[in-house]
Amino acid sequence: MMSSSQNSPELVSALKTIVGHAHVMTGDAATYRFTHGFRFGAGRVLAAVQPGSLVELWRVAKACTDDGKIIIMQAANTGLTGGSTPDGNDYDRDIVLISTLRLDRSHLIGEGRQVVCLPGATLYELESKLAAIGREPHSVIGSSCIGASVLGGVSNNSGGALVQRGPAYTEMAIFGQVGEDGQLHLVNHLGIRLGNDPEAMLRKLEDGSFSEADIDWNAGRGHDGQYISHVREIDADSPARFNADPARWHEAAGCAGKLVTFAVRLDTFPAEKNTGVFYIGTNSTDELEDLRRHLLTGFDTLPIAGEYIHRDAFNIAEKYGKDTFAVIRYFGTKVLPKMFAMKSRFDIYAKKLGFLPEHFSDRAMQALSYLLPQQLPQRMLNYRDRFEHHLMLKISADLTGPVQAYLTDFFGKASGEFFECTADEGKRAFLHRFAAAGAAIRYRAVHHQEAEDIVALDIALRRNDREWFETLPQEIEDKLIVKLYYGHFLCHVMHQDYVVKKGYDAMEVEHSMLPGLDARGAKYPAEHNVGHLYQAPQEMLDHYRSLDPCNCMNPGIGKATKRKNWVSESV
């Protein structure tokens, strides 16, 4: 593939006319922060473009499709499977990557009962806006969505920590779709009357100049209301949620970048007040599973969240996620996108200099983190020393008493223990759990001489699976330095990160793990979507093909062909 702006000077010039010269980047250095994934994925692009309005986005997408280019849509670039970056340089057409971060507006409708989010709206900003009226979005900041966009979650059916709500889902969206004729068509299934002219419709949507009378309140579902019952079926021989579940695909929901989504409409939820957090430690996996089953079935309402972390992940996060923990604790997640951008620019500069060591920014940040004071409460540290398995349980105010009584009775007979967190301890416990997701990346960077790469799996276990904690064959164990286990325990969704020893092929190690997961009836990925790491099942590929018959939107996802019109790679 030829990936220089010299190949298509007319298109690059047209894009600059549409969005302004400052918002069209070409060349490897200028596009680096867009073309390299948070954990995985890299490749060259003709240009990275940042539209400043929905009309500009429409014009950019139309210019690219008219010129026969591939489009990759990207928001916060926080995905873990490379689903919003190029995958190598073996595409049969030039790529234009469209970053939507400038399109960050959202509109509350129906007195805040629902929200219309543009493609760059972030979870942090939406949480802040809804907090002012006592409500919250479907998803809150979680293990993989620190700085993430709302649309990224919807397009990948991302799950998250909240037990009652399931994967992000909506049947209401407005999107551009490339048909079999190769032309971009605007489809308005948002349930809001906006007119008929595409550019006028998008201006009206962005401005929020539609009225309540324009809104159809029966247009479709704004979240998966069935999940709250689905997850309680603890004897079902199937997982509660996973990305390849067709029950949660609908146009923009689960599209994985196969559409140009201009906005989605989602439900919001009353914010829980005076919530309680219990911290649980045990050395018995059976005890945690007994707890899980009772918490899902023994009370009238479900817990808000139940997050698991293994002692090894606790330790790695304590050391290698310390600076991330401190930044979020003191400054909030709103600063993280800027920090990631600054780090990316520094990495580009360091590569140009040539004499700085590999992974210099990560190693420097790690060295600075040693100057920070201890971030974790002493009671958590004491439990780390005593217990292998840790569960953080967040519950509503009216459930605090009954759950405390149940835990007191349960651990009167069991080997583990629990304590009720103060408000500060509860916040720090969950933040530590969420900081674990990036800790493996830092570990690899700091120990790059011993570590080859990371295998990152997110696994949906069967709801009736009592043997939830993994035991690997010795021949796989021998290839690993460290294993990190953490996850959304009540949903039986586990995140499993493995740092592979130098000299071993990480992809081969991953492939050797998959038959064992298949034998356990697990589904993967659970919530990060297939990206370029996983083979999508045929039903999912058929779904992608129905959305994008020309294969011009994010081709290659799910290890499918990257070629135009879905032509086989072998042809």
Side-chain angles (χ1 to χ4, degrees):
M1 168 185 161
M2 300 293 290
S3 294
S4 166
S5 59
Q6 300 303 314
N7 298 325
S8 301
E10 297 86 0
L11 177 61
V12 172
S13 178
L15 297 176
K16 289 178 179 179
T17 300
I18 294 169
V19 304
H21 285 238
H23 301 295
V24 177
M25 282 65 69
T26 58
D28 292 345
T31 60
Y32 182 93
R33 63 192 174 104
F34 302 101
T35 59
H36 287 68
F38 176 68
R39 179 179 280 178
F40 174 86
R44 292 190 300 271
V45 298
L46 174 68
V49 186
Q50 289 189 297
S53 70
L54 292 184
V55 170
E56 288 184 3
L57 173 56
W58 168 257
R59 291 176 179 174
V60 166
K62 200 161 187 345
C64 293
T65 53
D66 288 348
D67 204 53
K69 302 302 186 222
I70 289 170
I71 294 175
I72 294 179
M73 299 295 298
Q74 183 185 97
N77 194 17
T78 58
L80 303 184
T81 59
S84 60
T85 57
D87 175 44
N89 300 307
D90 57 343
Y91 294 82
D92 62 345
R93 293 150 288 164
D94 285 331
I95 299 170
V96 176
L97 188 150
I98 303 177
S99 169
T100 62
L101 285 182
R102 296 176 67 204
L103 307 174
D104 58 357
R105 298 181 69 177
S106 58
H107 304 297
L108 302 184
I109 60 176
E111 299 179 330
R113 297 190 307 276
Q114 289 188 336
V115 62
V116 176
C117 291
L118 272 57
T122 64
L123 280 171
Y124 175 82
E125 296 294 341
L126 182 56
E127 266 192 274
S128 299
K129 179 179 285 190
L130 289 171
I133 60 171
R135 298 185 73 83
E136 61 185 21
H138 168 275
S139 302
V140 296
I141 298 304
S143 61
S144 64
C145 58
I146 293 175
S149 69
V150 176
L151 241 68
V154 171
S155 66
N156 291 299
N157 287 137
S158 297
L162 300 181
V163 181
Q164 302 174 18
R165 299 180 193 170
Y169 176 81
T170 186
E171 295 170 356
M172 297 173 286
I174 180 170
F175 53 88
Q177 183 172 29
V178 182
E180 293 183 0
D181 58 0
Q183 299 298 304
L184 184 69
H185 306 273
L186 186 64
V187 180
N188 181 14
H189 290 167
L190 198 61
I192 301 176
R193 286 184 290 274
L194 299 169
N196 297 307
D197 176 70
E199 293 196 2
M201 294 167 65
L202 294 173
R203 287 193 189 94
K204 187 173 183 179
L205 173 62
E206 184 165 7
D207 294 342
S209 56
F210 51 85
S211 68
E212 291 281 317
D214 292 321
I215 301 172
D216 177 4
W217 292 106
N218 297 304
R221 294 187 292 162
H223 81 286
D224 180 8
Q226 299 174 355
Y227 186 78
I228 195 167
S229 300
H230 186 71
V231 74
R232 284 184 182 266
E233 297 172 3
I234 58 173
D235 293 318
D237 195 37
S238 61
R241 55 180 168 92
F242 56 100
N243 290 133
D245 183 356
R248 297 185 179 94
W249 299 336
H250 188 86
E251 297 175 342
C255 73
K258 287 293 185 178
L259 301 170
V260 182
T261 306
F262 292 93
V264 294
R265 180 175 155 192
L266 299 160
D267 293 334
T268 70
F269 303 85
E272 297 277 3
K273 298 180 180 178
N274 304 314
T275 56
V277 174
F278 293 104
Y279 197 94
I280 297 163
T282 181
N283 291 313
S284 168
T285 57
D286 284 339
E287 286 181 3
L288 278 194
E289 183 58 23
D290 287 342
L291 277 174
R292 186 188 79 90
R293 296 175 69 86
H294 186 83
L295 289 166
L296 290 175
T297 60
F299 301 96
D300 291 338
T301 57
L302 288 174
I304 298 169
E307 292 295 294
Y308 168 82
I309 187 168
H310 184 265
R311 176 192 279 153
D312 292 343
F314 185 114
N315 291 334
I316 294 293
E318 180 193 10
K319 183 174 183 179
Y320 297 96
K322 188 178 182 182
D323 53 333
T324 300
F325 182 109
V327 167
I328 298 174
R329 181 185 172 198
Y330 295 126
F331 304 106
T333 58
K334 63 181 178 182
V335 304
L336 288 182
K338 293 180 180 178
M339 286 185 58
F340 288 144
M342 289 173 59
K343 180 181 180 298
S344 179
R345 291 188 182 100
F346 181 85
D347 288 340
I348 295 168
Y349 183 68
K351 281 191 174 185
K352 285 183 178 179
L353 292 178
F355 61 84
L356 292 175
E358 191 176 2
H359 305 294
F360 181 75
S361 64
D362 279 294
R363 294 164 70 180
M365 291 166 68
Q366 185 60 30
L368 290 173
S369 74
Y370 296 139
L371 302 176
L372 294 169
Q374 175 59 257
Q375 298 295 307
L376 299 178
Q378 188 59 46
R379 290 203 285 183
M380 284 177 58
L381 296 172
N382 293 342
Y383 267 45
R384 179 270 311 276
D385 296 338
R386 298 174 55 206
F387 299 116
E388 182 179 3
H389 306 286
H390 299 240
L391 180 66
M392 288 139 273
L393 191 63
K394 185 176 183 180
I395 54 175
S396 59
D398 59 352
L399 202 59
T400 302
V403 169
Q404 185 172 41
Y406 167 71
L407 293 176
T408 300
D409 179 69
F410 182 87
F411 285 112
K413 307 164 189 173
S415 63
E417 292 183 17
F418 80 98
F419 64 85
E420 184 174 5
C421 296
T422 65
D424 181 61
E425 284 176 327
K427 289 178 182 177
R428 290 206 234 179
F430 275 90
L431 179 52
H432 180 60
R433 152 65 187 89
F434 297 146
I441 301 171
R442 176 67 60 78
Y443 183 97
R444 177 188 60 182
V446 173
H447 298 276
H448 64 96
Q449 293 181 332
E450 300 89 29
E452 183 68 36
D453 207 342
I454 296 171
V455 172
L457 300 176
D458 59 300
I459 310 300
L461 301 174
R462 291 172 295 133
R463 284 168 283 176
N464 65 352
D465 191 352
R466 293 196 61 90
E467 304 298 324
W468 58 270
F469 192 70
E470 181 177 66
T471 301
L472 289 172
Q474 192 60 46
E475 59 267 24
I476 297 178
E477 287 274 7
D478 292 342
K479 299 174 183 177
L480 306 176
I481 299 173
V482 68
K483 301 173 294 183
L484 282 71
Y485 295 107
Y486 51 95
H488 314 306
F489 186 67
L490 299 186
C491 298
H492 253 194
V493 169
M494 299 297 296
H495 299 290
Q496 303 177 177
D497 296 343
Y498 313 86
V499 182
V500 179
K501 291 179 181 177
K502 203 74 171 178
Y504 292 103
D505 186 293
M507 195 63 70
E508 289 183 5
V509 172
E510 177 180 338
H511 288 166
S512 69
M513 294 175 173
L514 301 184
L517 293 172
D518 294 338
R520 296 170 64 190
K523 298 290 186 180
Y524 47 88
E527 58 185 13
H528 293 158
N529 218 342
V530 290
H532 290 288
L533 282 180
Y534 296 91
Q535 175 68 53
Q538 188 60 48
E539 190 172 21
M540 184 178 252
L541 294 177
D542 291 343
H543 170 63
Y544 291 158
R545 189 165 186 165
S546 70
L547 295 177
D548 176 25
C550 295
N551 203 26
C552 59
M553 300 292 301
N554 212 6
I557 288 294
K559 297 189 179 295
T561 177
K562 296 175 180 176
R563 298 179 66 177
K564 186 176 181 180
N565 296 326
W566 298 85
V567 172
S568 171
E569 300 282 355
S570 60
V571 175

